[in-house]
Amino acid sequence: MQPIAWQISLVLMALVAFGFAFVAINSGRRQEDYTPLQKSAYRLRTRLFWGLVLVFGPAMIYTLLELPYDAARANAGAGPVQVVEATGYQWRWELSQDRVAVGQPVEFRVTSADVNHGFGIYDANLHLVAQTQAMPGYINTLRHTFSEEGTYKILCMEYCGLAHHNMLTEIRVGAQ
């Protein structure tokens, strides 16, 4: 741990300990009328609430402005969208195509024929690239643009039964 980090941690722990000690010392006092304390606490709570709204409200709105992240706007000029239908079964994936072009947006339409599955795309180093859920009776759309050529593995990310660990397929990404 860095020297400044342990010092900050120590100060924070001391403040928490001071807070506990303050409450323990003052807990023995008897106060008959809690009305002034209650009004003060309500005022503080109201100010805290509006302060949090003013701080986090604009940040939340700013981060949500880009929703929904559609393939046409996110990948303008990258070429036509390639559509891959993906259906999960116990214990296999079926893809409408297993080859896509590098640098062009791919729209995976993911569903399941039986139980819930997790649809995870992994690169050659088994780092998760993209993911979504595969649910019976529902089609989830996953948009991704592969930036590197290679063979990507599609694995189930949600335990779906006895042979869950064998539920994988591959998709090849290359020049068109």
Side-chain angles (χ1 to χ4, degrees):
M1 199 188 272
Q2 304 232 350
I4 190 75
W6 71 265
Q7 291 171 346
I8 292 172
S9 295
L10 193 59
V11 168
L12 291 174
M13 286 188 283
L15 288 173
V16 169
F18 176 75
F20 276 112
F22 179 78
V23 169
I25 291 170
N26 291 320
S27 65
R29 288 190 200 164
R30 299 287 297 166
Q31 186 174 1
E32 298 302 321
D33 186 21
Y34 287 104
T35 306
L37 180 62
Q38 184 180 19
K39 287 181 180 179
S40 174
Y42 284 163
R43 253 192 324 273
L44 177 65
R45 184 173 66 180
T46 302
R47 289 180 183 152
L48 180 62
F49 171 77
W50 287 112
L52 290 173
V53 167
L54 288 173
V55 169
F56 291 111
M60 181 183 67
I61 291 169
Y62 176 74
T63 59
L64 296 177
L65 285 177
E66 295 297 317
L67 288 176
Y69 303 119
D70 62 339
R73 192 174 71 214
N75 299 301
V81 175
Q82 306 165 88
V83 177
V84 177
E85 306 282 340
T87 305
Y89 297 89
Q90 286 183 315
W91 291 279
R92 70 189 189 319
W93 290 107
E94 279 187 11
L95 302 178
S96 61
Q97 58 180 336
D98 65 351
R99 293 183 186 275
V100 295
V102 67
Q104 288 187 355
V106 181
E107 181 176 288
F108 292 93
R109 296 180 184 159
V110 182
T111 189
S112 170
D114 43 36
V115 298
N116 283 355
H117 298 282
F119 182 84
I121 303 172
Y122 292 83
D123 65 10
N125 297 320
L126 289 181
H127 292 122
L128 185 63
V129 174
Q131 69 171 338
T132 191
Q133 282 293 115
M135 300 179 284
Y138 189 80
I139 297 174
N140 273 323
T141 302
L142 172 66
R143 295 179 182 103
H144 182 70
T145 302
F146 293 95
S147 58
E148 296 179 13
E149 293 185 12
T151 301
Y152 290 78
K153 293 187 182 308
I154 296 174
L155 303 171
C156 182
M157 300 176 62
E158 185 169 325
Y159 183 74
C160 57
L162 213 48
H164 161 76
H165 61 281
N166 288 331
M167 191 170 171
L168 64 101
T169 191
E170 293 180 342
I171 189 163
R172 287 166 187 73
V173 178
Q176 192 154 355

